[in-house]
Every structure is written in structure tokens, then in C-alpha cells.
Amino acid sequence: MFEATTILGYRGEGKAVIGGDGQVTFGSTVLKSNATKIRTLHEGKILAGFAGSTADAFNLFDMFETILSEKKGDLFKSVIAFSKMWRKDKHLRQLEAMMIVLNKEHIFILSGTGDVVEPQDGKIAAIGSGGNYAISAARALEKHANLDPKTLVQESLEVAGELCIYTNKNIKILEL
């Protein structure tokens, strides 16, 4: 687990939403409070967010974007190809980052070991040190509240920001 961030992805009501906090830490010190850890990929059709080493994550974003282009934006085929590349490359296997990638049809967690995980419910995924707080809040809100997907992600990340010392409430959200 990375003690650096919280990223939450959600698919529902024909929408895809990703959100992340802005805190960057080095050990127990906050280095920056307004970082952007989420972005759109492949002409704005894919959402992605990262936890872990910033330099490693930017390399992963670039590599994943290349594969998305090669696979003509097919997210499922792209995560499989990316996983194969990640597992075979000795340098990639040493990168300290995880990613969530999603569109309106799919959501995946790409782990630092080259694993591809599709959440059991196919709807909610979280990574980073506050990930468990955010996903718990999202599941409860989805079950017991009538919130639009963007609000559900915002509120879930707010909960994580209240509980996780490596997560702040400077939240950024993107949606499709």
C-alpha cells in the first residue's frame, strides 16, 4: 500500500467518475497539498489516477496511453497488453505505482506487480493509503443514499480525508 494518496473510481448511471486528493508526502512531511493525480487519456475517453511514486506514475501513464492508441481505445485489450508488458519488463516491475483506469463500460486496478484487477462489483475501485476509507464510504453511500456519481465520489473522498493522515480534502474530480 502506498502512503501517499487516495484515488477513487466509480462507474454508475451511465457515467464514469474518478477523484483524487492533492496531498504529496515524504515520510511524515507534507510536501504539496494541491497535486493532480488524475487525468484523462485517449482523447478524453478514459479516466486514470495513480498512487505511488509520481515519476513512476507519469511513465506508466505515458506507456498506457501508447497502448491505448495501439488498441484504438479499447480499455479491456489495453489493460491486458499493459499487464503483459509490465510483467515482462524488469524495469517496469520495479516501479512503485498503481493505477485505476476506467470508462463507462469498465474499471480496472493496475497493480505495481503487473496485475489487472476488475472490482467484484465492476463499479467501485480505490487505491492509495486512504483507499479503504474511500471505498467503504462509496459502498455505503451507493447503498443508502441517492447521490449522483460525481457527488458520491466527492463525499467518499471527503470521508477518507477526515480519516487518513496521508489524504487531504483538496479533491479533484473528472467525469465522462
Side-chain angles (χ1 to χ4, degrees):
M1 179 170 12
F2 296 105
E3 296 177 335
T5 197
T6 302
I7 302 294
L8 178 67
Y10 180 79
R11 277 187 343 96
E13 299 178 21
K15 295 184 178 183
V17 181
I18 196 163
D21 76 311
Q23 187 158 292
V24 176
T25 57
F26 184 73
S28 60
T29 303
V30 175
L31 295 178
K32 186 174 181 176
S33 65
N34 64 346
T36 300
K37 304 168 196 173
I38 58 173
R39 64 166 57 171
T40 60
L41 302 174
H42 193 68
E43 301 167 3
K45 297 176 184 171
I46 306 289
L47 301 175
F50 75 90
S53 164
T54 305
D56 289 350
F58 286 131
N59 284 327
L60 294 176
F61 278 148
D62 290 343
M63 288 184 284
F64 191 69
E65 181 103 62
T66 300
I67 291 172
L68 274 170
S69 293
E70 291 170 4
K71 302 292 181 190
K72 297 181 172 108
D74 186 314
L75 184 58
F76 183 78
K77 289 180 181 178
S78 297
V79 296
I80 299 302
F82 188 65
S83 175
K84 288 177 184 177
M85 184 176 80
W86 199 331
R87 286 177 177 265
K88 290 179 183 177
D89 188 296
K90 67 179 182 178
H91 299 293
L92 282 178
R93 287 192 311 256
Q94 295 178 23
L95 296 181
E96 296 179 1
M98 295 179 75
M99 292 172 50
I100 292 177
V101 293
L102 71 151
N103 60 15
K104 293 178 183 179
E105 293 80 35
H106 299 285
I107 184 169
F108 299 101
I109 297 172
L110 307 177
S111 79
T113 57
D115 294 319
V116 173
V117 179
E118 185 172 23
Q120 183 172 331
D121 62 7
K123 295 167 81 174
I124 307 170
I127 57 175
S129 58
N132 288 336
Y133 303 114
I135 200 167
S136 295
R139 287 178 179 161
L141 289 170
E142 182 185 48
K143 187 174 181 178
H144 299 291
N146 187 20
L147 301 174
D148 64 274
K150 184 177 181 180
T151 304
L152 185 140
V153 169
Q154 176 77 36
E155 293 299 321
S156 299
L157 288 168
E158 293 277 343
V159 169
E162 291 173 6
L163 299 172
C164 178
I165 62 169
Y166 297 105
T167 302
N168 69 13
K169 292 186 178 186
N170 189 349
I171 297 166
K172 293 180 176 58
I173 296 185
L174 297 171
E175 77 180 301
L176 300 176

